[in-house]
Amino acid sequence: MMTLTRLIRGVLLLAAFASLGIMVYAADLSHPLLWLLSLVFGAWVVSPYWFLFNTSLKGEPNLVREIAVLLLSIGLACFGLSIYYDGFFVHLDAQNGLLFLFIPLWQWVAVGVVLGGLSFWMNRKRDI
């Protein structure tokens, strides 16, 4: 079980640093206020990864939960990084900065749906 937790944490750290790297690549850091704005957006971009990172550390070891969090982590990383890559390296557009606003929002929706469904399923399974 500890190996799955380490794998989850590695995937999430890699995704968070890659997302921040793309954000720094795309950012205009010519003014101190833009640095501050980048810090705020950086926190927003890594927030779904940070939440799952902390979630993987809590609770009693459970194989089903760890596999679900691992698959969710891989899915979030692939979804977010592929959209960022497409937006900032393939299809360049002036509105691509909005990706840093909406991709984490959709990642949070996915986290809520998957973890909420998993919690419901695990509690229902225990009641039977």
Side-chain angles (χ1 to χ4, degrees):
M1 301 261 197
M2 191 57 154
T3 307
L4 276 177
T5 302
R6 286 183 183 169
L7 185 59
I8 291 167
R9 293 168 71 187
V11 166
L12 292 169
L13 283 173
L14 181 65
F17 282 120
S19 297
L20 286 176
I22 293 171
M23 193 182 91
V24 168
Y25 167 80
D28 174 19
L29 302 174
S30 60
H31 192 274
L33 287 177
L34 294 175
W35 278 89
L36 180 63
L37 186 63
S38 294
L39 288 174
V40 171
F41 271 103
W44 172 242
V45 165
V46 300
S47 64
Y49 304 125
W50 180 251
F51 177 79
L52 283 177
F53 186 89
N54 286 332
T55 300
S56 70
L57 301 174
K58 295 183 179 167
E60 72 271 354
N62 183 333
L63 184 62
V64 173
R65 182 178 66 92
E66 287 184 8
I67 290 173
V69 171
L70 175 64
L71 293 176
L72 178 61
S73 301
I74 292 170
L76 287 183
C78 290
F79 170 72
L81 293 175
S82 65
I83 298 290
Y84 291 145
Y85 176 78
D86 184 64
F88 291 102
F89 298 108
V90 179
H91 296 103
L92 303 176
D93 191 341
Q95 284 82 23
N96 284 345
L98 292 172
L99 293 175
F100 293 120
L101 182 64
F102 291 107
I103 296 302
L105 177 67
W106 285 110
Q107 288 174 326
W108 272 112
V109 169
V111 166
V113 167
V114 171
L115 292 184
L118 181 66
S119 175
F120 175 77
W121 182 73
M122 298 281 287
N123 288 334
R124 189 175 144 240
K125 188 177 176 184
R126 246 185 261 158
D127 291 340
I128 295 176

